[in-house]
């Protein structure tokens, strides 16, 4: 499986990802990331990629630079 192929999570996976992003942690630690990946059935790499993209979208919507700097969300 090519790692650069974009993954489109199912609606159920998106609900889990969004819940964790909004309610749990925008910056999941490796253990949390592993648990979220296991819960969604996505790889840790795919899960991390989703969080990074989602964080960039969130920062943009908040009027913040898309890359995180010294300020934590």
């Amino acid at each position: 499986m090519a790692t650069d192929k974009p993954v489109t999570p199912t609606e159920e996976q998106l609900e889990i990802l969004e819940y964790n992003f909004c309610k749990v942690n925008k910056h999941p630690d490796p253990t949390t990331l592993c648990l979220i990946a296991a819960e969604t059935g996505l790889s840790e790499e795919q899960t991390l990629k989703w969080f990074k993209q989602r964080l960039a979208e969130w920062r943009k919507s908040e009027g913040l630079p898309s890359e995180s700097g010294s300020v934590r969300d």
Side-chain angles (χ1 to χ4, degrees):
M1 183 171 126
T3 53
D4 57 355
K5 183 179 172 225
V7 175
T8 306
T10 64
E11 209 169 301
E12 192 176 322
Q13 289 169 326
L14 272 175
E15 281 181 26
I16 296 166
L17 291 165
E18 279 291 340
Y19 173 82
N20 282 282
F21 183 83
C22 296
K23 302 274 193 285
V24 182
N25 194 343
K26 288 177 178 57
H27 303 277
D29 60 55
T31 305
T32 306
L33 196 69
C34 181
L35 292 170
I36 296 168
E39 190 178 354
T40 59
L42 297 170
S43 72
E44 287 180 54
E45 192 177 290
Q46 292 166 327
T47 306
L48 181 60
K49 198 172 195 176
W50 184 90
F51 266 87
K52 284 183 175 178
Q53 290 172 335
R54 182 66 179 84
L55 184 61
E57 285 174 24
W58 178 83
R59 294 179 70 83
K60 196 173 175 183
S61 75
E62 295 290 310
L64 299 166
S66 60
E67 289 299 313
S68 56
S70 58
V71 178
R72 295 284 288 189
D73 311 316

